[in-house]
Each structure stands twice: as structure tokens, then as C-alpha cells.
Amino acid sequence: MMVDVGSAPTRVENNVLRGNSNAGLALTIPSHRVRGNRLEENCAPSWSCAQIVFFPVRQNGGAEVLENRLSAGPGQKLVLRLANSKFDPAPASFDRNAYAAADPKPFCWSDLWTCQEWLSFAEWQKLGHDARSSFTRRIH
């Protein structure tokens, strides 16, 4: 599902997004509320994508990502946030999410258009995300 630049701030709630070759949810502006969704096994392992991908193309307010269940299989990632150098980074609030992934480093919070370093759940939390969330390492 893509919420593109022409969209007003949108509530994306209570969906099941599973098995897409690209991201489960791609957001081009950061002002959306993502709540109560299940995003599972999205993203072809050979692509740089994740269950949720942020790639801002214009400045806006912060996103909320709350109470979702995200699951990523081998070669898949959970959250990928890319930045646009034309805009100040917008804040985002992640909390009360349940994550499961085969990869021990399935999170990226980049200040560039590409991910420079994937992070573990503990490293992700040190950035201020998901204080009340959980992470389970899946073994396949």
C-alpha cells in the first residue's frame, strides 16, 4: 500500500498487508497515522525495502506508528526510513508495536536516500523508538 505525495495526512488502520514484492506500506510524507495493522513477509529479499518504508518527498509533520504487528522473513527488513536532504527530518513516534524478524538488524533510520547501517532492536530503541514494544528473533 502506498500513501503518496498527493495524499493528505491519512489514517492507515486495521489492515493486513502480506506478501507484496515491495514494501507492505510505503509513505512518501511523514504525517500519517499507522495503527493496528499487520504487515507480514513483504519485500523481495533482493530489494532495499521493508515492511514500512518512509521516503519523504515534501516536508510535513511527524508520523505515528502505533500498535502494529510487523513480521519479516529471511532477507526482509522491518522499518526503513530514508531522508530527503531538501527537508529537515520529520519526527516519528513508534510505540506499542510487536516485531518479529529473522534478521538481527532489521531497522534503519537514515539521514540519506540510502540506508547506511541497519540496526538491532536495542540500537533502534536507543534512538528513542518503541520504548514499550517487543521484538522476537525468528529462526527459519
Side-chain angles (χ1 to χ4, degrees):
M1 177 184 294
M2 182 176 221
V3 184
D4 211 344
V5 69
S7 305
T10 303
R11 295 172 79 150
V12 180
E13 297 181 336
N14 304 313
N15 297 286
V16 176
L17 303 168
R18 180 173 174 67
N20 296 296
S21 62
N22 205 336
L25 180 59
L27 305 168
T28 61
I29 61 172
S31 308
H32 305 297
R33 183 176 184 174
V34 179
R35 186 176 202 150
N37 300 285
R38 285 182 26 214
L39 294 100
E40 303 170 341
E41 312 290 332
N42 296 292
C43 194
S46 61
W47 296 6
S48 181
C49 63
Q51 304 310 298
I52 297 179
V53 176
F54 294 91
F55 57 104
V57 294
R58 82 174 184 229
Q59 186 70 45
N60 252 317
E64 287 185 337
V65 181
L66 306 169
E67 301 170 354
N68 299 283
R69 295 177 61 193
L70 284 73
S71 177
Q76 297 175 333
K77 303 294 186 177
L78 293 170
V79 178
L80 172 58
R81 185 274 205 162
L82 304 174
N84 186 333
S85 61
K86 295 178 184 177
F87 310 117
D88 292 331
S93 172
F94 292 82
D95 208 5
R96 298 186 306 274
N97 297 297
Y99 298 105
D103 189 323
K105 292 193 171 206
F107 301 92
C108 184
W109 192 262
S110 180
D111 291 329
L112 303 171
W113 272 111
T114 59
C115 180
Q116 301 301 303
E117 179 182 9
W118 290 95
L119 307 171
S120 69
F121 185 59
E123 293 166 328
W124 175 253
Q125 286 183 307
K126 286 180 184 175
L127 294 177
H129 305 301
D130 285 307
R132 294 172 289 189
S133 296
S134 64
F135 176 80
T136 302
R137 176 88 191 276
R138 294 176 52 190
I139 307 299
H140 283 266

